[in-house]
Amino acid sequence: MNTRFLFIVFLLFTSVSCFSRQVRISGVVTDTDGTPLELAVVRIEKSTAGAFTDEKGRYALHVPASDSCVLVFSCLGYNKTKRIVPTAAGDMTINVRMRRMDFVLDAVTVTSRQPSGTMEIIPTDRNRLNVDATGGSVESIVITAGMGVSSTNELSAQYSVRGGNYNENLVYVNGIEVYRPILIRSGQQEGLSFINPDLTAEVSFSSGGFEARYGDKMSSVLDVTYKKPDRFEGGVAGSMLGGNVYLGNSAGKFTQITGFRYKRGTTLLNMLDTKGDYDPTAIDMQTYMTYALAPQFSLSFLGNYSDNTYDFNPTNRETSFGTMDEPKKFTVYYDGAERDRFKTLFGAATLKYELAEHADIAVQASAFQLTEQENYDIAGEYWLSNSLPEDDKEVIGTGRFLNHARNYLETNVMSIAVNGGAGFNQHTVRWSLAYQREKNRDRIKEWELRDSSGYSLPRDEDELRVYSNLSSKNNIVSGRFSGYLQDTYRFRVRDGLFSITAGIRGSYWNFNREFIFSPRASIRFIPSRNENFIFRLATGIYYQTPFYKEFRTVVQDSLGNGYVEPNRNIKSQRSVHFVLGGDYKFKFDGRPFKMKTELYYKKMDDLVPYTVNNVRIDYSGENSSYGYATGIDMKLFGQFIPGTDSWLGFSLMKARQYIGGKKIPMPTDQLYNFTFYFTDYAPYVPDRRVQLNLRMIWAGGFPFSVPGGQYKYIQSIRTRPYNRVDIGMSYRLSDENNFPANGGSFWQNFKNVWIGADVFNLFDIGNVSSYSWFADTGGIMYAVPDRLTGRQLNIKLVAEF
């Protein structure tokens, strides 16, 4: 009796144990390149049980030991993967590599995977063949692939986003904010942008509604991470615009990647209306090094030196403008020269400690120095005439001018920050505390003298007066304290996957004794019924904390002389973002496509009115307006031609501001913007050795105003639309598997070798960057267009090893 009872108890215990016993399955989910995938979903088929991967692609979940099951691996932007798990007696490790469903080009790769919020990841490891007049910058990819991004100057890497100007865009490299030169007034002075595309591992971009961990600006954020090589790599490229070379390697605990760039844009600038001796030269050297001090300690350093000089000796200019009924011609003969120099020194060191598997803390220190010099003395004599046959030509205005400048600006920014994060359950928490010290030292002295028909402008019977005069002598030192706290919470319900990111950012600036607080939040949802859809909603308060240019006011004396004074009562401009968007992935004729759409509204207060002239932004220095920007952005990515990927985008926008009770367009108001990037391979050529690229921008004009006076910030006139088509063709001379037989072992040293030709501005359209104003004999002012570059051929060679 007792034996039978004990046997029954044993059977019951064994059954319960077998039923309740769990097996732990863990592993790592990566893409085909071995990069860990964050936020991938691992679940049991026909069940709601599952787990998410962390930032290192790791996952773990438990299944009953007595049953076989099927694990389903899914991640936005990747093909779904399944693994059959047989009946197991113990814990198991299953590692999975997922294949992208994104759009891979030899020019650029755009992936739809979004780690959180509104950030879009745009890998740029294949952009070396991109057709681009700036020489292959990261910004040129953002202009074509980013939502709501606009650029209407091929000589500049600057861009505007959803009604914001160039200064409203945040740019980070390895978590450090970088700055653009301040005194630059035209695209031909700009040289190279800070970001080196050869060193870039990952680019994240958001057009609005971005997270609290990013700083205080009103429009967008571009977050760049440099490579950490695990093997030897390198490349060299050269073209008629310049050249670049980079090398990277890993040796034990040490890694480094170093790049050198050289740009000389003489061939492009010779296409401008103003003729002369152009001698622009820009060099840039950057290095990123890491060293593992211990298993949990790491040290990294990012350094940069750039030197951009612009020498120009103008000779003459001839510009035709007006209408068919009233054609005009503007002719100038110059004397004098311009000598500009813009130098950057940058260094940042980071010491990071891994507290635990999902927790870290880091100390980051950086120093940034910009030294800018602008010197010119240019005299000119001009004729304004009706553009008629020579015998009937009528001169309607003549005059002389003399432009003088001795401008110097030195900007030093030093910062130290402590940041960290931790992951637990389904939360990822990030935080930071930082202090930044800024020092601006300027010595500005510039004036313009005009003489029209024998009279100095403005005319004064008693004394000689100049047309414009500005001087400044300021030494401004200030400090900023800032910090943020942010949490990302991911969870799955029956209806789908949610990712919620919420945080708050605060800062204090002792220059104007202002505290600002910025709450921000976003939510993303992927429905279970159809994971080809993704929906997102983001909102938040975004401040534009004043930097050097925003808080300068110009005070004029009775003679019209202007003096720059800092406005210590300046406030941060504010923008409240509302962004609603969605993505849809689908196939058409067996080819993958993705449609991306976003609606947005930005309510803006305490705005500082400004004007835009070429790439120079002049602020009023006072919070005297408010406004809004609203619109819709749409982009379609896909294989328009089988086996190749392209995209097109279309945006509609309305941006208005109120000044003195009057509603006017903002200087960056652009009604429409159409972009098209197309790639193809030449038919009948084996191994896709011939690649074709086409880049097109068709955009509306921007408002501008008459310079000076009470209407300076009232933009009532529009530039003509910006229309441009660039096309390029590249031929692959060799790759790892195919190389010329007569080259011996030489070609075997290279991964890829390409030779190509680009035609910039294929249709030779006379786009306009800005306008110069001149008067006729009756005092009527004429806006003479300052046109951009015409058609230009560029030859290039690219090699990777």
Side-chain angles (χ1 to χ4, degrees), residues 31 181 264 294 330 371 474 510 524 546 596 610 671 694 753 755:
D31 63 12
R264 183 176 174 81
F330 181 69
T371 304
N474 290 296
N510 63 15
R524 296 169 63 243
K596 186 180 180 74
Y610 61 90
L671 177 60
L694 182 142
V753 178
I755 186 171

Side-chain angles (χ1 to χ4, degrees), residues 3 20 64 81 118 153 160 227 256 330 376 387 420 443 446 478 492 539 544 568 701:
T3 302
S20 62
T81 303
T118 61
N153 190 333
S160 60
K227 297 177 184 177
Q256 71 83 29
F330 181 69
Y376 56 79
S387 185
R443 299 294 183 268
E446 61 181 60
S478 63
R492 176 178 284 276
T539 186
Q544 177 87 10
R568 294 189 176 272

Side-chain angles (χ1 to χ4, degrees), residues 189-202:
Q189 296 175 305
E190 195 167 291
L192 291 159
S193 71
F194 183 92
I195 304 168
N196 188 331
D198 291 334
L199 277 57
T200 300
E202 186 175 85

Side-chain angles (χ1 to χ4, degrees), residues 398 456 488 799:
T398 62
S456 176
T488 298

Side-chain angles (χ1 to χ4, degrees), residues 260-279:
F260 173 81
R261 292 180 293 164
Y262 170 78
K263 181 178 179 180
R264 183 176 174 81
T266 303
T267 55
L268 272 179
L269 300 184
N270 285 334
M271 304 300 297
L272 298 174
D273 284 348
T274 301
K275 307 302 180 182
D277 296 326
Y278 289 94
D279 188 16

Side-chain angles (χ1 to χ4, degrees), residues 140-154:
S140 69
I141 301 173
V142 174
I143 290 167
T144 57
M147 299 289 284
V149 183
S150 175
S151 175
T152 57
N153 190 333
E154 66 272 8

Side-chain angles (χ1 to χ4, degrees), residues 189 274-279 310-316 333-341 373-380 401-407 447:
Q189 296 175 305
T274 301
K275 307 302 180 182
D277 296 326
Y278 289 94
D279 188 16
Y310 176 74
D311 293 345
F312 179 40
N313 295 278
T315 57
N316 66 284
Y333 293 97
Y334 295 99
D335 187 21
E338 179 175 358
R339 302 285 184 271
D340 305 328
R341 186 178 185 186
Q373 300 177 46
E374 188 179 41
N375 304 293
Y376 56 79
D377 287 288
I378 297 178
F401 61 85
L402 175 61
N403 295 330
H404 167 90
R406 294 293 185 272
N407 298 333
W447 49 262

